[in-house]
């Protein structure tokens, strides 16, 4: 691996650190600063896809309207970098913590496509998913890594 790839991987790891911190702090501007203008997201919540910053920002605003605390606990990402493109994947414990301390959280799968734009890495595509049981179609929220 080249020095440039190592630096790019470190920069991308920092994006995920900033992302999870901003999400836990409900810092909408901090979150949106990490996305490209043409972000396409296949989030686990909501419609099949979100297209563009305005659409995705509106989704985050709806999510942040709840008083619950966000749980965003990503595992260490696996990152591949080639030139101005990168892909990353990791498992993430994601959900909400109620005021009484109860949690609604599960492990999810997450994958990202990033692009270097103007010298900065930006998230161009993200995908969150929950596995499901093929026989009955039920989401498998209780799985552990």
């Amino acid at each position: 691996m080249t020095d440039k790839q190592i630096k790019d991987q470190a920069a991308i790891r920092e994006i995920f650190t900033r992302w999870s911190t901003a999400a836990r702090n409900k810092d909408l501007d901090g979150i949106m600063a990490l996305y490209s203008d043409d972000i396409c997201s296949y989030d686990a919540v909501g419609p099949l896809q979100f297209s563009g910053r305005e659409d995705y920002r509106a989704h985050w605003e709806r999510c942040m309207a709840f008083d619950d605390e966000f749980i965003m606990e990503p595992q260490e990402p696996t990152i591949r970098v080639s030139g101005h493109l990168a892909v990353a994947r990791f498992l993430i414990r994601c959900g909400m913590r109620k005021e009484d301390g109860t949690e609604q959280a599960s492990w999810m799968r997450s994958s990202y496509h990033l692009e270097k734009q103007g010298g900065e890495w930006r998230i161009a595509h993200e995908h969150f998913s929950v596995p499901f049981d093929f026989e009955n179609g039920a989401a498998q929220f209780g799985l552990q890594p």
Side-chain angles (χ1 to χ4, degrees):
M1 188 176 325
T2 67
D3 286 344
K4 183 179 179 330
Q5 288 172 317
I6 292 169
K7 287 179 184 176
D8 283 337
Q9 283 186 344
I12 291 167
R13 277 189 186 83
E14 178 61 21
I15 284 178
F16 293 127
T17 298
R18 289 171 50 202
W19 178 86
S20 59
T21 299
R24 282 192 306 273
N25 292 332
K26 295 188 177 184
D27 175 4
L28 183 57
D29 290 333
I31 292 168
M32 295 310 300
L34 304 173
Y35 292 100
S36 65
D37 289 340
D38 62 347
I39 176 64
C40 175
S41 177
Y42 301 155
D43 202 331
V45 178
L48 284 176
Q49 78 176 26
F50 298 95
S51 297
R53 289 176 63 84
E54 290 180 27
D55 191 26
Y56 203 39
R57 183 181 183 92
H59 166 66
W60 273 102
E61 287 173 342
R62 286 187 298 275
C63 291
M64 290 182 181
F66 294 94
D67 290 333
D68 302 335
E69 176 186 343
F70 283 147
I71 298 170
M72 298 286 183
E73 300 170 355
Q75 289 187 331
E76 185 69 22
T78 299
I79 301 169
R80 302 284 188 265
V81 178
S82 180
H84 72 285
L85 298 175
V87 294
R89 68 177 186 270
F90 51 86
L91 296 177
I92 181 170
R93 188 166 172 271
C94 184
M96 302 285 219
R97 185 174 295 113
K98 304 282 186 188
E99 285 186 23
D100 66 4
T102 60
E103 293 183 357
Q104 291 179 318
S106 67
W107 284 97
M108 302 183 79
R109 303 173 293 198
S110 184
S111 57
Y112 287 79
H113 156 203
L114 299 99
E115 295 178 5
K116 202 167 205 179
Q117 301 170 348
E120 299 289 327
W121 286 101
R122 295 285 179 256
I123 300 167
H125 175 74
E126 69 182 1
H127 186 158
F128 283 85
S129 65
V130 175
F132 71 94
D133 184 296
F134 186 74
E135 291 182 16
N136 63 23
Q140 296 178 312
F141 290 109
L143 298 178
Q144 298 292 318

